[in-house]
Amino acid sequence: MRGRGPAALFALVAVVTLAAPARSATSFGHSHRISSPYAWNPGKSLAATSHKLLTIFASDCPPPSGRCADDNGPRMGVFVRRSPASSQAGDWGKPVRISPASVQAERPSIATHGKTVIASYVTQRSYLHYRPSAPRVLWIRVSLDQGRTWHKPVRVSTRTGRVDYPRVAVGGGRMFAVWTQADSGSIRMATSDDRGHHWSTATIGSTTSRSSTSEGFRGLPDIGASGNDVAVAWFATRGGAQDALTSNTRGDDLSTATPIALTGPSPNDGQHYPAVGGAVQAGDPRVAIAYSTNSGLDVRIFDGSTLSAPTTVFSWRDVVGGAGYLDGYGPAVLPFGTSQVAVAIAGCRRNPRARPCRPLARGARIYILYRHSRDGASWDGAVRLTSAGSHPPYRVNDEPSLAVTGSTQRVSYDRYERSFSRYDVWMRSSR
């Protein structure tokens, strides 16, 4: 679920048995915690510059003291940590708070290009007495030196509106942010051509999908950019119809473009949102879209001129180590190399007490699953990156994010259990 998240545990790797033959699976090293304790992210929270790996997370028991938030201080905040990109396990520096200590902030997102980093967060008026109807405001900060120093925060949305979960991207010399305007259902896009100092906003779509917790409309859009190519995807209806927009003009035509239907009705519970990712390698025009269907997870790729036919990455009822996965949610997708694609998703085991993808239900067991393609069409064997056994404390692993540094594939994810006695962000790296 996009929201508070997750915690630790050493993980197993198991090959998923699929109907079609698959090449050998990617091998991963041990898991490592990459956040401070009592932290979470809503996905799209791992990114790489030319020499640094960065993670962004929110914490309500913020470092350095670890004292838990209230409305007088300390306050819930958003933090960034950096590691040398060459470190296989990650050699993480101290968390740097990018939201002011005087505000309550969460819902982070991060994106990079070259040495440029764009990070976003949403402020709210209270932590202890949070009201879903109160204003939620989007702010963005930019770093031009791989996250070492940061420009001052810039407010991108109105002070009185309600921003749902935003996502950011950067490409072609332009910065992007998308979000749902929770009061109206408008899908909003902001762009900046001057390194984040000034932003222009436009409505590029709409949704009738609503939050189940009175937070307003919730389309859960995502955006990816690679050079001049841009793609956006979101929930268009309560019934789970998902739409996409593509552009090869840095998004200039998105406000007048006709949406492309990705799906008809599909699962829409605030968790099965689509993901969009722009290519890692300079000169690669690809932007990938991953989205849930009623039976699995599909990926389509925009190459600057056409949106490919869908390829199915996971079909639910897939088996891992003799155990079946009945559903999955919260994907991440990333094109890299010259033709490769990585996908991660939270995979849900059968729960005799509730629907399988209810992370806060008693008996929930949710794992991170990963697949890699060398050509964007055929897929290597899938791997299970986490363990979610029958005993606490960490039976839920979700909200994956992806990054690639050199030839190393990175997957971060939230870990937690239903009582939220502990929750934090972990990562595994290919070897």
Side-chain angles (χ1 to χ4, degrees), residues 52 67 76 129 133 148 292 298 303 306 319 383 392 401:
K52 295 292 182 181
R67 187 161 61 91
M76 178 174 61
H129 306 287
S133 60
R148 187 175 68 85
S292 291
D298 286 0
D303 64 3
T306 60
V319 174
V383 294
S401 300

Side-chain angles (χ1 to χ4, degrees), residues 4-81:
R4 179 181 302 207
L9 192 56
F10 289 106
L12 300 174
V13 177
V15 177
V16 175
T17 304
L18 301 169
R23 291 175 292 213
S24 59
T26 306
S27 175
F28 281 81
H30 292 296
S31 56
H32 298 271
R33 194 180 72 189
I34 63 174
S35 72
S36 59
Y38 307 107
W40 70 94
N41 69 64
K44 204 151 197 180
S45 301
L46 189 69
T49 64
S50 49
H51 295 98
K52 295 292 182 181
L53 181 65
L54 298 97
T55 183
I56 192 170
F57 57 88
S59 176
D60 55 2
C61 298
S65 71
R67 187 161 61 91
C68 291
D70 59 29
D71 286 342
N72 297 312
R75 291 172 174 83
M76 178 174 61
V78 170
F79 297 82
V80 169
R81 294 185 79 184

Side-chain angles (χ1 to χ4, degrees), residues 6-9 389 391-396 415-422:
L9 192 56
H391 300 287
Y394 306 119
R395 288 184 285 200
V396 179
R415 282 191 150 179
Y416 56 104
E417 39 71 42
R418 62 191 300 267
S419 70
F420 289 114
S421 60
R422 290 180 64 184

